[in-house]
Amino acid sequence: MKSFSTDAILLKRIEYGDYDLIITYFTRSMGKISVMAKNAKKSMKRFAGALDPFIAMNIECSWPKRKNALPILNGLELENPFAHIRTCATKTGYASYWLEMINSWMEEGRPDDDLYELIYYVLESLNAGHIPAEVLSLLFQIRFMAISGFTPNITSCGDCGVSLDEIHQQMVIFDLKAGKLVCNKCCSSRDISGDENGVLVSKGTLKQLSWMNTNDIRRAERLKFSVNALREGENLLEGFIPCHIGRNLRSLIFLKRIRRSFS
């Protein structure tokens, strides 16, 4: 059987039969792949502590002779267990949300080195605790959308094209379904307050999000968000992403529940 090895981050696992597991990884060289971990539930020593979410590792697999069968996970070597994430419910909530986004959007077998570097960076930073989880989540989401090809328009009105700096009002409507800003002049014909598809965001928050999307990712720790700016960013991005992925994310419901319990 032909074999391969690649750096990988565990996205999810599901039980298969009495003893096996199907593991879905986001890998550096092969994109998203699913592999069969034979007897993983029976032989705990073989994959001890390495089949939990968020762990980064190098996996060794082989292709079975049977056509269309999943690759077999033969062995692995831990690179970074990100152990501190799993000891904190809030960190677990954010990491689960990011990985579900990747798993929901990525197609099997499509490598994306930029996205792999992004998720590794935010998981590593979340584990270290040097940057607030809320800021890392805004960074991941805005960069994820750029990589995925559906970046929202947050620099100008999507209808008339007037730039953000030329909009006089400090609070601007963002249309979640259309993925664009709409200045007050263009949206004056509809009732913004009653539109569940729109959120109000301050110009300052929009500029911070735009800065995050266009500057060196490792300068993110320099950004200081106010509590209001964090909430506005969350409302915009966490409202927009499910619309454009095309499904509700269970991990996001869990994350919001955690945030409410600590608020």
Side-chain angles (χ1 to χ4, degrees):
M1 292 187 292
K2 292 184 178 180
S3 61
F4 64 88
S5 65
T6 179
D7 292 335
I9 294 171
L10 198 152
L11 296 179
K12 72 170 187 176
R13 67 181 195 183
I14 59 174
E15 296 186 358
Y16 185 81
D18 293 331
Y19 304 115
D20 303 338
L21 294 172
I22 295 177
I23 312 293
T24 301
Y25 290 104
F26 179 39
T27 73
R28 183 185 295 276
S29 60
M30 303 176 68
K32 188 175 78 169
I33 63 171
S34 295
V35 305
M36 182 71 71
K38 291 284 189 180
N39 296 314
K41 292 190 291 180
K42 184 178 181 181
S43 178
M44 299 303 295
K45 183 183 294 186
R46 187 181 178 198
F47 301 116
L51 297 182
D52 293 325
F54 326 134
I55 292 178
M57 65 194 78
N58 184 274
I59 59 173
E60 296 181 8
C61 304
S62 58
W63 294 100
K65 293 182 179 180
R66 186 161 57 88
K67 190 176 181 181
N68 297 325
L70 292 176
I72 304 299
L73 180 65
N74 297 322
L76 50 83
E77 182 178 351
L78 286 180
E79 179 182 352
N80 194 330
F82 301 124
H84 296 305
I85 293 178
R86 283 179 296 280
T87 63
C88 173
T90 301
K91 289 184 177 183
T92 297
Y94 278 107
S96 299
Y97 173 47
W98 304 336
L99 294 185
E100 188 178 358
M101 286 167 58
I102 291 175
N103 189 51
S104 298
W105 175 76
M106 286 290 292
E107 297 177 3
E108 292 274 348
R110 190 184 75 178
D112 195 316
D113 196 60
D114 289 339
L115 185 55
Y116 190 90
E117 291 294 334
L118 174 62
I119 187 60
Y120 194 98
Y121 173 78
V122 293
L123 288 175
E124 187 175 47
S125 299
L126 183 67
N127 186 66
H130 299 315
I131 304 174
E134 298 90 343
V135 175
L136 284 171
S137 193
L138 296 183
L139 172 67
F140 178 77
Q141 289 175 93
I142 195 73
R143 293 267 182 160
F144 169 81
M145 289 187 292
I147 292 169
S148 304
F150 52 90
T151 304
N153 179 0
I154 57 174
T155 60
S156 62
C157 175
D159 288 348
C160 69
V162 63
S163 70
L164 185 62
D165 286 333
E166 294 176 321
I167 297 175
H168 299 300
Q169 292 77 13
Q170 288 302 307
M171 301 297 293
V172 187
I173 191 74
F174 180 82
D175 188 321
L176 294 173
K177 286 192 172 181
K180 63 183 181 181
L181 294 178
V182 184
C183 71
N184 286 35
K185 182 179 179 181
C186 291
C187 68
S188 58
S189 60
R190 60 182 171 126
D191 180 13
I192 297 175
S193 62
D195 189 353
E196 63 180 10
N197 296 318
V199 294
L200 283 168
V201 190
S202 67
K203 290 168 65 175
T205 299
L206 292 167
K207 289 181 178 180
Q208 284 185 292
L209 293 176
S210 181
W211 189 96
M212 273 186 158
N213 198 32
T214 55
N215 282 272
D216 185 347
I217 189 174
R218 300 189 185 277
R219 297 173 63 191
E221 60 187 21
R222 300 183 183 184
L223 276 176
K224 305 300 180 184
F225 281 82
S226 68
V227 173
N228 284 339
L230 285 172
R231 298 294 86 81
E232 289 176 357
E234 288 168 352
N235 288 339
L236 190 161
L237 298 174
E238 292 173 6
F240 173 69
I241 286 175
C243 285
H244 288 265
I245 286 181
R247 56 173 291 184
N248 292 321
L249 303 176
R250 289 182 295 176
S251 56
L252 181 56
I253 298 172
F254 171 67
L255 175 60
K256 289 181 176 179
R257 188 180 303 124
I258 292 174
R259 286 202 301 242
R260 285 196 299 269
S261 67
F262 285 98
S263 61

